[in-house]
Amino acid sequence: SPDGAAVAVVDGRPAPDDGAGAVRVIDAATGRDRFAVPDAGSPAPPVFSPDGTRLAVRVGSRVQVYDAATGR
């Protein structure tokens, strides 16, 4: 995130149930996952909004926007 509070990573390992990877959002201070977006196994990197409150993720042929703190 722009403020350094979170890191979004593409986990290219296939999930056991669907074969697609996921985007994980990790709290930089604790190292714990905030949330994960399943089925986001695309090569496009996730992008935080300039204020760090939202995260855009390509899922298949769509772009979905999530709350960067909660994943909703």
Side-chain angles (χ1 to χ4, degrees), residues 26-40:
I26 302 166
D27 186 288
T30 65
R32 294 187 183 136
D33 283 4
R34 287 187 180 178
F35 66 92
V37 178
D39 304 326

Side-chain angles (χ1 to χ4, degrees), residues 7-13 21-26 40-46 57-58:
V7 178
V9 297
V10 177
D11 185 348
R13 296 175 296 176
V23 170
R24 293 179 23 219
V25 177
I26 302 166
S42 70
V57 177
R58 187 175 116 189

Side-chain angles (χ1 to χ4, degrees), residues 32-71:
R32 294 187 183 136
D33 283 4
R34 287 187 180 178
F35 66 92
V37 178
D39 304 326
S42 70
V47 179
F48 282 98
S49 63
D51 65 1
T53 61
R54 292 177 298 281
L55 181 73
V57 177
R58 187 175 116 189
V59 178
S61 61
R62 302 182 325 254
V63 173
Q64 293 182 288
V65 180
Y66 296 89
D67 180 292
T70 67

